[in-house]
Amino acid sequence: MKKHIMDWTVCCNDKLDERHILLKLKPANGIMPAMKPGQFVQVKSPAPNDTFLRLPISINYVDNDQLWLMIQTIGEGTKALAFLRKGDNINLVLPLGNGFSTDKATGKILLVGGGVGVAPLLWTGKILADNGTSPTFLLGGRNADGILLKDKFQQIGRTFVTTEDGSLGEKGFVTQHSLLKDETFDYIMTCGPKPMMMAVARYATQTHTECEVSLENMMACGIGACLCCVEKTVRGNVCVCKEGPIFNIKQLTWQI
C-alpha cells in the first residue's frame, strides 16, 4: 500500500477526558489515501523543536473525508496536539504497518480493547459490520471515565464493559467478564496493554480461537529502520512497525 507524507487540516479537536483527545482531520489536498483498520500514522507534533520524533498513533476511524485519531496526552509531543484548533494543519506519514484481517475473519468475532487500546477497534468493527459480520465489543478500563467512545461502539455492535473498580459494567478485567464464560467466538482481535493482550491470547489458545493482537511497542521511525520496536516471533526478531503492528498470536512466542 502506497505511503504518503501529507498535510491534514483539523476539523475539530474534542476533549474526551483529562488525558484523551479525539482529533478529526481532513486531507489538505482533498484526496483521502487508502487505509486499512489496524494501521497507524506518524504525526509530526507542533511541540518545540526538541520533540523531533514523529508520534505513532493508531487510526481510530475513517468517515468519508475525515480521519479520526484518538490520542492520549502523556508527553510533550502529544500534549501539544491538545492545543490544535479547527483550521490548523499537521503533517502525517501514512498508512503504516499492516491491518486486522477483516477480509478473512468469519463467524462470531469479538473485539477486545483496554484503555486507549480501544482506538483501532472502532473502525475495525465498522468494516466488519459493513462486510455483513456483526462484531461484539468487550471494552475494559480502570473506571467509567476510562471507557472511551462507548456510544460509538454501541452504534456498531453489542458492547460489554469491565472496569477495575466496578463503576461501569462488570467489575474486574476483560478476561474475567461473564461474556467469555457464556459465549464462544470464532475470531478475536485485541489491542491494549500488553498484560491484557497476553491474557486474551491465553484465553484464545485455551478455547482454540483464532486471535490477532495489535502490539504497541515503542516506535520511532515507522518504517523498520531504527529497530526500536523489535519483537521476538517464532521466525526471529521483527520490527513491529513494519511487520505488524497486527500479529496472529501463533506468530508470537507468548505461549511458548
Side-chain angles (χ1 to χ4, degrees):
M1 188 173 288
K2 185 178 179 180
K3 307 294 186 292
H4 304 266
I5 302 176
M6 54 189 292
D7 289 332
W8 293 71
T9 303
V10 177
C11 300
C12 65
N13 186 347
D14 295 332
K15 185 176 181 179
L16 301 179
D17 62 20
E18 292 303 315
R19 298 185 65 193
H20 299 88
I21 61 170
L22 181 64
L23 278 182
K24 296 182 180 180
L25 311 170
K26 62 180 180 181
N29 63 6
I31 302 174
M32 179 70 76
M35 291 172 270
K36 294 174 60 178
Q39 290 184 307
F40 67 99
V41 307
Q42 290 277 60
V43 182
K44 185 177 181 180
S45 173
N49 291 334
D50 58 343
T51 306
F52 61 92
L53 293 176
R54 287 179 180 258
L55 307 169
I57 306 292
S58 297
I59 294 172
N60 176 224
Y61 198 73
V62 176
D63 180 26
N64 296 321
D65 64 341
Q66 286 190 1
L67 167 67
W68 296 7
L69 302 177
M70 182 195 294
I71 298 165
Q72 184 177 19
T73 55
I74 56 175
E76 290 294 328
T78 50
K79 287 179 180 178
L81 297 175
F83 291 97
L84 290 173
R85 295 293 178 261
K86 183 177 180 179
D88 289 343
N89 280 354
I90 58 172
N91 188 267
L92 308 182
V93 179
L94 79 166
L96 298 171
N98 58 0
F100 285 111
S101 300
T102 53
D103 56 338
K104 298 178 181 178
T106 57
K108 289 182 64 177
I109 302 176
L110 177 66
L111 306 184
V112 184
V116 74
V118 304
L121 302 183
L122 185 65
W123 191 35
T124 302
K126 180 62 164 58
I127 294 296
L128 289 169
D130 289 346
N131 290 343
T133 301
S134 180
T136 298
F137 298 102
L138 177 54
L139 312 178
R142 292 182 179 178
N143 51 47
D145 292 338
I147 305 300
L148 304 168
L149 300 184
K150 180 169 67 73
D151 59 329
K152 300 294 184 184
F153 286 100
Q154 290 174 325
Q155 293 171 15
I156 298 173
R158 293 190 305 157
T159 302
F160 298 85
V161 171
T162 64
T163 50
E164 293 178 28
D165 66 357
S167 56
L168 185 66
E170 294 188 11
K171 184 176 182 179
F173 302 116
V174 289
T175 49
Q176 298 170 326
H177 197 284
S178 59
L179 174 70
L180 301 183
K181 302 179 181 67
D182 298 338
E183 299 186 32
T184 58
F185 295 88
D186 301 299
Y187 215 105
I188 298 174
M189 301 175 183
T190 183
C191 182
K194 189 171 183 177
M196 184 210 80
M197 291 194 293
M198 293 183 75
V200 172
R202 284 193 296 271
Y203 166 83
T205 299
Q206 292 165 1
T207 56
H208 307 288
T209 307
E210 287 291 320
C211 181
E212 290 182 340
V213 299
S214 178
L215 299 189
E216 296 184 323
N217 297 34
M218 183 176 292
M219 303 178 198
C221 70
I223 57 173
C226 69
L227 305 181
C228 285
C229 61
V230 168
E231 178 77 18
K232 185 177 180 180
T233 72
V234 294
R235 59 184 180 86
N237 292 335
V238 301
C239 290
V240 169
C241 68
K242 188 174 181 181
E243 302 294 330
I246 311 303
F247 293 88
N248 190 293
I249 58 173
K250 295 175 183 175
Q251 298 174 272
L252 303 174
T253 60
W254 291 0
Q255 311 300 315
I256 296 177

